Amino acid sequence: MSETNTLTSSVMPTYSRFPISITKGEGSYVWDDAGKQYLDYTAGIATCNLGHAPETVKEAVKDQLDTLWHCSNLYHIPIQEQLAELLTVHTFADKVFFGNSGAEANEAAIKLARSYAQKVKGTTAFEVVTFSQSFHGRTLATLAATGQEKIQKHFAPLAKGFRYLPYNDIAALDQLIGPDTCGVLVELVQGEGGVIPADAAWIKEVERLCKEHDVLFMLDEVQTGVGRTGTLYAYEQYDVEPDVLTTAKGLASGIPIGAMLAGSKAAAAFEAGSHGSTFGGNPVAAAAGKATLEVITNPSFLIEVQESADYFRAELEKIAAESGAFTDVRGKGLLLGLGTTGKAIALVHEARELGLLVLVAGEHVLRILPPLNTNKAEIDFCIETLKQIAGA
């Protein structure tokens, strides 16, 4: 198997790449350039929610390629309108802005919160509150919004206008709203930060305080969205309704897209010229998104996701209880974390050698992100592999 030497590669060395080259993907599996097969339980980091190259999405993209690849957002784009309608029909939202990534969706949300405070409310508020161990992106604004110093290292001075509170700490919420606060941005499961779900009472209090002070309650569902947690979006499991929600990753089965969803109150802060994107809502990406959502919004599909998640979690809890290598299981749906007693990255490398791809979420957590349409045999292979690397 060939390996690209980072010293000779023309690609900027911004990724700590694993020593394999992926050349093919189908369903839950990928193959490297030596022909070795792997069960891909990273799903492109929660992106290939229907597995690799799902047939219905592939056909929709092919059809779109035969008609129109790209046109400016200065014109109406019917397939984009159809995707936006699907998103609004199945969520709280009334309006959608399309970009190309989760970071862009979060940038749009930050801008919307400031515009709402300044244009709609007539204040000078500009501050967005986020939380420790959060992850919201790597642009200058979204890394400033991210509550992790390791993400921010070497990029000083950070963009102003962000303040961090401890996650899931209800006692700290008396500091949530200040005179300059225009929005609160929070993940319902901190994926990058350790696969930590929001406490239900805590997030309900965050919502209450935002509504009481007319500050935008904004949910970053870039990783938790599009069926990943067992419902279309995770907020449905928390009895809360955001003003703004960001989504990306799984929305178009690997074709780049991001979206900011907003209710009518918040959406009123944007008008023509407020924001824009050359490629956002591109016809090919919109076609992929529409085809993806049509599968995932089928109620029977999400029932099967939850059934798989329940089975998977129960099996993970067994090995966590029986093995000294693992400590606990956390997460929601098929966004799963498995605590480790040793360095998680070492277990990632061992699993890869045995044909299983998983990720880390911090130093002592394995992050497991199967395609949502994975099956019992694939889950069982993952469980047996984890047992093997744990020495159970």
Side-chain angles (χ1 to χ4, degrees):
M1 179 179 65
S2 65
E3 295 179 15
T4 301
N5 188 322
T6 57
L7 295 178
T8 60
S9 172
S10 296
V11 177
M12 192 76 74
T14 54
Y15 303 101
S16 297
R17 298 186 191 270
F18 296 118
I20 58 174
S21 298
I22 302 299
T23 58
K24 179 186 174 184
E26 183 177 334
S28 297
Y29 296 92
V30 293
W31 288 260
D32 66 22
D33 57 356
K36 182 175 178 177
Q37 176 181 287
Y38 303 84
L39 178 63
D40 183 11
Y41 269 18
T42 76
I45 314 184
T47 295
C48 301
N49 282 8
L50 297 178
H52 292 276
E55 197 63 33
T56 54
V57 180
K58 184 194 304 183
E59 291 305 312
V61 169
K62 284 181 177 178
D63 289 345
Q64 190 60 48
L65 287 172
D66 285 337
T67 55
L68 179 67
W69 292 22
H70 178 76
C71 74
S72 167
N73 275 306
L74 294 173
Y75 308 102
H76 294 286
I77 305 172
I79 189 67
Q80 183 188 99
E81 296 282 353
Q82 292 165 30
L83 175 56
E85 184 177 7
L86 265 177
L87 285 166
T88 57
V89 164
H90 290 283
T91 70
F92 72 97
D94 299 299
K95 299 292 181 184
V96 181
F97 174 86
F98 289 109
N100 308 287
S101 66
E104 287 182 59
N106 283 334
E107 286 267 357
I110 292 163
K111 286 182 67 175
L112 188 71
R114 288 188 177 182
S115 183
Y116 180 76
Q118 296 172 27
K119 174 178 177 284
V120 177
K121 293 174 63 180
T123 74
T124 58
F126 63 92
E127 177 189 79
V128 173
V129 176
T130 66
F131 297 89
S132 57
Q133 294 305 114
S134 60
F135 182 82
H136 298 296
R138 294 182 184 273
T139 65
L140 281 173
T142 56
L143 73 84
T146 292
Q148 298 188 55
E149 288 186 8
K150 68 178 183 180
I151 303 295
Q152 300 167 342
K153 190 177 180 181
H154 303 312
F155 296 112
L158 296 178
K160 295 180 179 180
F162 299 95
R163 181 164 56 90
Y164 320 106
L165 289 181
Y167 191 70
N168 275 342
D169 185 343
I170 204 160
L173 292 183
D174 60 358
Q175 306 168 53
L176 185 70
I177 309 297
D180 292 322
T181 307
C182 66
V184 174
L185 180 62
V186 59
E187 298 161 283
L188 291 175
V189 180
Q190 289 191 328
E192 170 73 21
V195 196
I196 308 298
D199 175 76
W202 176 79
I203 197 66
K204 192 70 178 173
E205 181 65 4
V206 172
E207 178 197 35
R208 186 190 70 78
L209 288 167
C210 288
K211 299 297 172 68
E212 179 182 313
H213 293 274
D214 197 15
V215 162
L216 292 191
F217 175 49
M218 306 189 295
L219 298 180
D220 179 341
E221 291 227 38
V222 170
Q223 187 161 168
T224 54
V226 200
R228 174 56 53 185
T229 65
T231 49
L232 183 60
Y233 287 98
Y235 79 86
E236 299 170 54
Q237 300 173 47
Y238 280 95
D239 188 32
V240 296
E241 182 172 303
D243 298 302
V244 176
L245 179 148
T246 58
T247 183
K249 286 191 179 291
L251 185 54
S253 296
I255 304 298
I257 196 170
M260 177 190 69
L261 284 58
S264 56
K265 180 187 83 169
F270 270 4
E271 59 187 9
S274 295
H275 200 41
S277 172
T278 296
F279 296 107
N282 171 282
V284 175
K290 179 174 181 282
T292 300
L293 275 185
E294 286 173 342
V295 173
I296 291 177
T297 54
N298 185 317
S300 63
F301 181 88
L302 288 171
I303 289 170
E304 291 173 6
V305 171
Q306 195 55 62
E307 289 173 351
S308 293
D310 290 344
Y311 174 73
F312 202 171
R313 190 182 191 102
E315 293 299 306
L316 288 173
E317 286 174 344
K318 287 178 189 175
I319 63 172
E322 296 166 1
S323 169
F326 302 119
T327 59
D328 65 303
V329 182
R330 75 270 303 258
K332 280 187 174 293
L334 289 174
L335 170 50
L336 291 163
L338 184 60
T340 65
T341 53
K343 295 290 182 68
I345 190 62
L347 298 177
V348 168
H349 291 308
E350 291 181 39
R352 188 184 67 251
E353 292 298 317
L354 296 173
L356 171 68
L357 302 183
V358 290
L359 298 168
V360 298
E363 192 173 2
H364 295 289
V365 182
L366 288 179
R367 186 169 26 157
I368 306 171
L369 301 163
L372 302 185
N373 51 1
T374 192
N375 59 44
K376 183 177 180 294
E378 292 166 352
I379 293 172
D380 288 344
F381 175 81
C382 175
I383 293 295
E384 292 305 312
T385 304
L386 292 173
K387 287 180 180 178
Q388 190 171 342
I389 65 176

